[in-house]
């Protein structure tokens, strides 16, 4: 596939992911952002302040790894630095979804981690979803905080007083991670009303995550 086709494919993937978020009530209006890695040097990312339902592929901005715009007429998302820090730190990340979903944001507002209490969340994330320290949106430090929270094999983090960010080895996995994170956060909030939920032990966490990485995710792609 030539470079132009790769760019067009990445831009369309971001548009479709944005529609998926809106239709599942994972974000409202113009908030949140999505990106896709095009190659080692470039990403496609949603523009700043634009409604997902009105976006076209041509609206999606292309930047290099330093954040310099290479294609597109609009301004890139104000959270470009967050996305770039994650891509630089996790070479396997091919797509990033940042949401302001309700229950994940509730935990983020409380500066609470989300423990591994549900199997599907544990499989895909790899353990506790940690909450970062607070820092202003749109800063490199926000990206650094997210990367620190993801250390140890995680692909998701809660951003204090803000929302959640997830990455995947493809766009579908990034979206699924965001949805499962929100579901897990909702279950945790409900379970807390009954008493303290029981997190899975570390051995079980490793077993579940290894199974997902080495087998189940491959089955989802038709590779096993």
């Amino acid at each position: 596939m030539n470079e132009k086709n790769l760019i067009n494919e990445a831009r369309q993937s971001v548009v479709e992911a944005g529609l998926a978020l809106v239709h599942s009530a994972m974000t409202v209006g113009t908030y949140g952002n999505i990106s896709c890695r095009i190659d080692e040097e470039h990403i496609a990312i949603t523009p700043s302040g634009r409604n997902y339902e009105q976006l076209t592929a041509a609206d999606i901005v292309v930047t290099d790894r330093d954040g310099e715009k290479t294609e597109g007429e609009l301004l890139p998302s104000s959270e470009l630095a967050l996305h770039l820090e994650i891509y630089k730190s996790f070479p396997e990340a091919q797509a990033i979804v940042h949401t302001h979903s309700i229950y994940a944001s509730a935990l983020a507002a409380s500066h609470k981690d989300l423990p591994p209490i549900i199997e599907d969340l544990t499989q895909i994330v790899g353990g506790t979803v940690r909450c970062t320290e607070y820092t202003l949106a749109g800063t490199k430090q926000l990206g650094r905080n997210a990367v620190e929270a993801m250390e140890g094999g995680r692909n998701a983090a809660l951003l204090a007083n803000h929302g959640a960010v997830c990455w995947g080895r493809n766009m579908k996995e990034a979206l699924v991670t965001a949805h499962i994170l929100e579901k897990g956060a909702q279950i945790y909030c409900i379970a807390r009303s009954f008493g303290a939920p029981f997190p899975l032990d570390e051995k079980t966490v490793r077993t579940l995550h290894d199974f997902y990485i080495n087998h189940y995710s491959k089955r989802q792609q038709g590779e096993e």
Side-chain angles (χ1 to χ4, degrees), residues 31-95:
Y31 288 94
N33 32 76
I34 302 164
S35 69
C36 179
R37 195 193 293 267
I38 297 170
D39 54 34
E40 292 301 315
E41 299 297 326
H42 300 89
I43 70 165
I45 190 166
T46 45
S48 179
R50 298 300 172 116
N51 193 299
Y52 291 101
E53 293 188 294
Q54 297 173 351
L55 288 178
T56 67
D59 295 325
I60 304 306
V61 183
V62 177
T63 79
D64 63 22
R65 61 186 291 115
D66 296 318
E68 295 296 322
K69 186 167 67 173
T70 60
E71 289 201 33
E73 298 298 322
L74 303 176
L75 292 174
S77 168
S78 59
E79 296 293 3
L80 175 61
L82 168 66
H83 291 247
L84 292 175
E85 287 296 320
I86 292 172
Y87 284 125
K88 289 174 183 177
S89 300
F90 302 101
E92 62 272 41
Q94 296 298 314

Side-chain angles (χ1 to χ4, degrees), residues 41-218:
E41 299 297 326
H42 300 89
I43 70 165
I45 190 166
T46 45
S48 179
R50 298 300 172 116
N51 193 299
Y52 291 101
E53 293 188 294
Q54 297 173 351
L55 288 178
T56 67
D59 295 325
I60 304 306
V61 183
V62 177
T63 79
D64 63 22
R65 61 186 291 115
D66 296 318
E68 295 296 322
K69 186 167 67 173
T70 60
E71 289 201 33
E73 298 298 322
L74 303 176
L75 292 174
S77 168
S78 59
E79 296 293 3
L80 175 61
L82 168 66
H83 291 247
L84 292 175
E85 287 296 320
I86 292 172
Y87 284 125
K88 289 174 183 177
S89 300
F90 302 101
E92 62 272 41
Q94 296 298 314
I96 295 171
V97 174
H98 166 43
T99 69
H100 296 169
S101 55
I102 293 173
Y103 285 91
S105 296
L107 291 181
S110 302
H111 293 204
K112 298 290 187 183
D113 295 343
L114 174 56
I117 59 168
I118 295 294
E119 286 188 334
D120 54 3
L121 175 69
T122 305
Q123 283 183 341
I124 200 165
V125 173
T128 296
V129 183
R130 305 183 186 109
C131 185
T132 67
E133 293 186 4
Y134 177 74
T135 193
L136 283 172
T139 62
K140 282 189 177 182
Q141 189 59 48
L142 180 65
R144 296 188 186 106
N145 288 357
V147 167
E148 181 179 2
M150 291 175 178
E151 288 177 354
R154 312 294 200 271
N155 69 334
L158 298 171
L159 306 175
N161 301 95
H162 190 152
V165 63
C166 307
W167 63 260
R169 293 169 294 172
N170 52 61
M171 184 63 79
K172 182 177 180 180
E173 186 174 67
L175 281 169
V176 168
T177 303
H179 280 94
I180 289 179
L181 170 55
E182 175 63 6
K183 180 176 76 75
Q186 183 175 7
I187 290 169
Y188 180 69
C189 291
I190 294 170
R192 290 276 295 180
S193 69
F194 305 137
F198 292 89
L200 298 166
D201 62 71
E202 188 58 35
K203 180 179 179 181
T204 301
V205 168
R206 289 197 303 269
T207 299
L208 289 170
H209 189 53
D210 287 347
F211 171 73
Y212 174 80
I213 293 296
N214 296 312
H215 298 287
Y216 196 65
S217 63
K218 294 180 181 178

